[in-house]
Coordinates of all heavy atoms in Angstrom, one line a residue:
T160 N 24.5 -10.0 8.5 CA 25.6 -10.0 7.5 C 25.2 -10.6 6.2 O 26.0 -10.8 5.3 CB 26.8 -10.8 8.1 OG1 26.3 -12.1 8.4 CG2 27.3 -10.1 9.4
Q161 N 23.9 -10.9 6.0 CA 23.4 -11.6 4.8 C 23.1 -10.6 3.6 O 23.0 -11.1 2.5 CB 22.1 -12.4 5.1 CG 22.3 -13.2 6.4 CD 23.5 -14.1 6.3 OE1 23.7 -14.8 5.3 NE2 24.2 -14.2 7.4
G162 N 23.0 -9.3 3.9 CA 22.7 -8.4 2.8 C 21.5 -7.6 3.1 O 20.9 -7.6 4.3
T163 N 21.0 -6.9 2.1 CA 19.8 -6.0 2.3 C 18.7 -6.3 1.3 O 18.9 -6.9 0.3 CB 20.3 -4.5 2.1 OG1 20.8 -4.4 0.8 CG2 21.3 -4.1 3.1
I164 N 17.5 -5.9 1.7 CA 16.3 -6.0 0.9 C 15.9 -4.5 0.7 O 15.6 -3.8 1.6 CB 15.2 -6.8 1.5 CG1 15.7 -8.2 1.8 CG2 14.0 -6.8 0.7 CD1 14.8 -9.1 2.6
T165 N 15.8 -4.1 -0.6 CA 15.4 -2.7 -0.9 C 14.0 -2.7 -1.5 O 13.8 -3.3 -2.5 CB 16.5 -2.1 -1.8 OG1 17.8 -2.1 -1.2 CG2 16.1 -0.7 -2.2
I166 N 13.2 -1.8 -1.0 CA 11.9 -1.5 -1.6 C 12.1 -0.1 -2.2 O 12.3 0.9 -1.6 CB 10.8 -1.4 -0.5 CG1 10.7 -2.7 0.3 CG2 9.4 -1.2 -1.2 CD1 10.6 -4.0 -0.5
A167 N 12.0 -0.1 -3.5 CA 12.4 1.1 -4.3 C 11.5 2.2 -4.0 O 10.3 2.1 -3.7 CB 12.4 0.8 -5.8
D168 N 12.1 3.4 -4.1 CA 11.3 4.7 -3.9 C 10.1 4.7 -4.7 O 9.0 5.2 -4.3 CB 12.2 5.9 -4.1 CG 11.6 7.2 -3.9 OD1 10.5 7.2 -3.2 OD2 12.1 8.2 -4.5
A169 N 10.2 4.2 -6.0 CA 9.1 4.3 -6.9 C 7.9 3.4 -6.5 O 6.8 3.6 -6.9 CB 9.6 3.8 -8.3
D170 N 8.1 2.4 -5.6 CA 7.1 1.5 -5.2 C 6.3 2.1 -4.0 O 5.3 1.5 -3.6 CB 7.6 0.1 -4.9 CG 8.2 -0.5 -6.1 OD1 7.6 -0.3 -7.2 OD2 9.2 -1.3 -6.0
I171 N 6.9 3.1 -3.3 CA 6.2 3.6 -2.1 C 5.7 5.0 -2.5 O 6.4 5.8 -3.1 CB 7.3 3.8 -1.0 CG1 7.9 2.4 -0.7 CG2 6.6 4.3 0.2 CD1 9.0 2.5 0.3
S172 N 4.5 5.2 -2.1 CA 3.8 6.5 -2.5 C 3.1 7.1 -1.2 O 3.1 6.5 -0.2 CB 2.8 6.3 -3.6 OG 1.6 5.6 -3.1
A173 N 2.6 8.3 -1.4 CA 1.9 8.9 -0.3 C 0.6 8.1 0.1 O 0.1 8.4 1.2 CB 1.5 10.3 -0.7
A174 N 0.2 7.2 -0.7 CA -1.0 6.4 -0.4 C -0.7 5.0 0.1 O -1.6 4.3 0.4 CB -1.9 6.3 -1.7
T175 N 0.6 4.7 0.3 CA 0.9 3.3 0.7 C 0.5 3.1 2.2 O 0.8 3.9 3.1 CB 2.5 3.1 0.7 OG1 2.9 3.3 -0.7 CG2 2.9 1.8 1.2
T176 N -0.3 2.0 2.4 CA -0.8 1.7 3.7 C 0.1 0.6 4.4 O 1.0 0.1 3.8 CB -2.2 1.2 3.7 OG1 -2.2 -0.1 3.0 CG2 -3.1 2.2 3.0
L177 N -0.2 0.3 5.6 CA 0.5 -0.8 6.3 C 0.4 -2.1 5.6 O 1.5 -2.8 5.4 CB -0.1 -0.9 7.7 CG 0.9 -1.3 8.8 CD1 2.1 -0.4 9.0 CD2 0.1 -1.5 10.2
Q178 N -0.7 -2.4 5.1 CA -0.9 -3.7 4.3 C -0.1 -3.6 3.0 O 0.6 -4.6 2.6 CB -2.3 -4.0 4.0 CG -3.2 -4.4 5.2 CD -4.6 -4.7 4.8 OE1 -5.1 -4.4 3.7 NE2 -5.3 -5.4 5.7
D179 N -0.1 -2.5 2.3 CA 0.7 -2.3 1.1 C 2.2 -2.5 1.4 O 2.8 -3.2 0.6 CB 0.4 -0.9 0.5 CG -1.0 -0.7 0.1 OD1 -1.7 -1.7 -0.3 OD2 -1.4 0.5 0.0
L180 N 2.7 -2.0 2.4 CA 4.1 -2.1 2.7 C 4.4 -3.5 3.1 O 5.5 -4.0 2.7 CB 4.5 -1.1 3.9 CG 6.0 -1.0 4.1 CD1 6.7 -0.4 2.9 CD2 6.2 -0.1 5.3
R181 N 3.6 -4.2 3.8 CA 3.8 -5.6 4.1 C 3.9 -6.4 2.9 O 4.8 -7.2 2.7 CB 2.6 -6.1 5.0 CG 2.7 -7.6 5.3 CD 1.3 -8.1 5.7 NE 0.3 -8.0 4.6 CZ -1.0 -8.1 4.8 NH1 -1.5 -8.5 6.0 NH2 -1.8 -8.0 3.7
D182 N 3.0 -6.2 1.9 CA 3.0 -6.9 0.7 C 4.2 -6.6 -0.2 O 4.8 -7.5 -0.9 CB 1.7 -6.7 -0.1 CG 0.5 -7.1 0.6 OD1 0.6 -8.0 1.5 OD2 -0.6 -6.7 0.3
L183 N 4.7 -5.4 -0.2 CA 5.9 -5.0 -0.9 C 7.1 -5.7 -0.4 O 7.9 -6.2 -1.1 CB 6.1 -3.5 -0.8 CG 5.2 -2.6 -1.7 CD1 5.4 -1.1 -1.3 CD2 5.4 -2.8 -3.2

């Protein structure tokens, strides 16, 4: 109930890896 965290579409690409997503 605390809210959401949004990773914008523009920050995710076809080259995003597991480590990249963790850091985002």
